[in-house]
Amino acid sequence: MDDAELLRRVHTCLIAEAELWGSGSGSAYLERLPGVIAAVSPAAPDRSLFNCVVPDSLASLEAAYPKLAASFADAGVRAFTVWVGPGDRAMADFLAARGHKLDSRPAAMAAAMSELAIPEAGDLDWEATRDLGLLARINDQAYGFPPPAFEAALTSWPADDGWRGYVARADGRPAACAIVYESPDGDCGVTGVASLPDARGKNLAGRLLGRALAEARTRGATSTSLQASPLGRPVYAKMGYRDLGEMGMWEHRVS
């Protein structure tokens, strides 16, 4: 599987994530325009992660941008982000000219399942779960986001049945989690990987993700993709994920 195909799967993973964020509270919705999908999540109006735009090209974004900006403003959203692919300087310049600032540079990472060194579970206490509220609470505590954040935005699963949640326990209490999306084309997209601060150093999240990937592989997944933070980047590289370049999260924020 070449890098171009893997990068396409990263993009598909981003679309799925937008669908997750846009399926949340009753006020959340998805804006679908030609070549663009956007999640609008008024329940977390200052969190651009949940108010995001995933375009497939600059031309698509240019055509959709006025409608998207109006939709976020009308919903009372004060911060939204546009995902820009590795090396897309033209799209970055377009957004900068409209007041967006580069907020984060996650790495696009992906791998064929056959390339992965999946961690062994060992004595991991884990289970699959549909408790989205639990997954959201672990993420909020792990990342230290003040509310409203994950717990406000993540209240409903998308209708697509490819979504699955996993939780690991430490000393009998939930301490780490992961959310994955198994797409129709065989990719296991990864998001929402988190460990509580006092449970770190035990590789709970890594071993839990290993179980999620192993299960996806038995169901026919041929690849896996994600967007990695600077902290997660070396962890995923050690597992065999290929680094496909830095993406850009270009945020527009109303002060």
Side-chain angles (χ1 to χ4, degrees), residues 120-144:
E120 293 295 327
D123 62 355
L124 186 68
D125 179 8
W126 69 280
E127 66 178 355
T129 181
R130 298 295 293 174
D131 189 344
L132 195 52
L134 173 61
L135 299 170
R137 288 192 294 276
I138 293 173
N139 271 274
D140 276 334
Q141 293 173 47
Y143 292 107

Side-chain angles (χ1 to χ4, degrees), residues 111-126 166 168 178 190 193 202-217 224 226 232 234-241:
M113 283 288 186
S114 59
E115 298 174 347
L116 288 181
I118 296 178
E120 293 295 327
D123 62 355
L124 186 68
D125 179 8
W126 69 280
Y166 295 85
V190 177
V193 178
K202 303 174 184 177
N203 196 27
L204 294 180
R207 289 188 288 160
L208 182 64
L209 177 57
R211 293 311 88 209
L213 292 171
E215 287 201 348
R217 186 171 56 186
T224 174
L226 51 83
V235 176
Y236 295 122
K238 187 176 180 180
M239 289 176 63
Y241 282 85

Side-chain angles (χ1 to χ4, degrees), residues 27-209:
S27 58
Y29 68 94
L30 290 168
E31 186 86 71
R32 297 183 189 271
L33 299 169
V36 177
I37 185 171
V40 183
S41 183
D46 297 304
R47 294 291 161 202
S48 59
L49 174 64
F50 312 118
N51 292 283
C52 65
V53 179
V54 183
D56 66 9
S57 69
L58 176 56
S60 297
L61 179 61
E62 287 175 334
Y65 190 88
K67 176 68 168 67
L68 294 171
S71 293
F72 285 117
D74 291 346
V77 170
R78 293 180 287 270
F80 71 94
T81 199
V82 179
W83 282 92
V84 176
D88 195 337
R89 188 67 249 173
M91 189 179 291
D93 289 345
F94 171 84
L95 292 166
R98 283 151 185 80
H100 289 251
K101 297 185 183 300
L102 183 58
D103 178 56
S104 182
R105 295 186 178 96
M109 301 189 78
M113 283 288 186
S114 59
E115 298 174 347
L116 288 181
I118 296 178
E120 293 295 327
D123 62 355
L124 186 68
D125 179 8
W126 69 280
E127 66 178 355
T129 181
R130 298 295 293 174
D131 189 344
L132 195 52
L134 173 61
L135 299 170
R137 288 192 294 276
I138 293 173
N139 271 274
D140 276 334
Q141 293 173 47
Y143 292 107
F145 287 159
F150 278 92
E151 198 167 357
L154 293 185
T155 58
S156 302
W157 292 100
D160 191 314
D161 64 1
W163 286 97
R164 290 174 171 80
Y166 295 85
V167 65
R169 288 175 288 269
D171 300 322
R173 66 184 182 90
C177 67
I179 304 171
V180 302
Y181 173 67
E182 295 173 27
S183 69
D185 64 354
D187 187 63
C188 180
V190 177
T191 191
V193 178
S195 293
L196 297 184
D198 61 359
R200 289 172 187 160
K202 303 174 184 177
N203 196 27
L204 294 180
R207 289 188 288 160
L208 182 64
L209 177 57

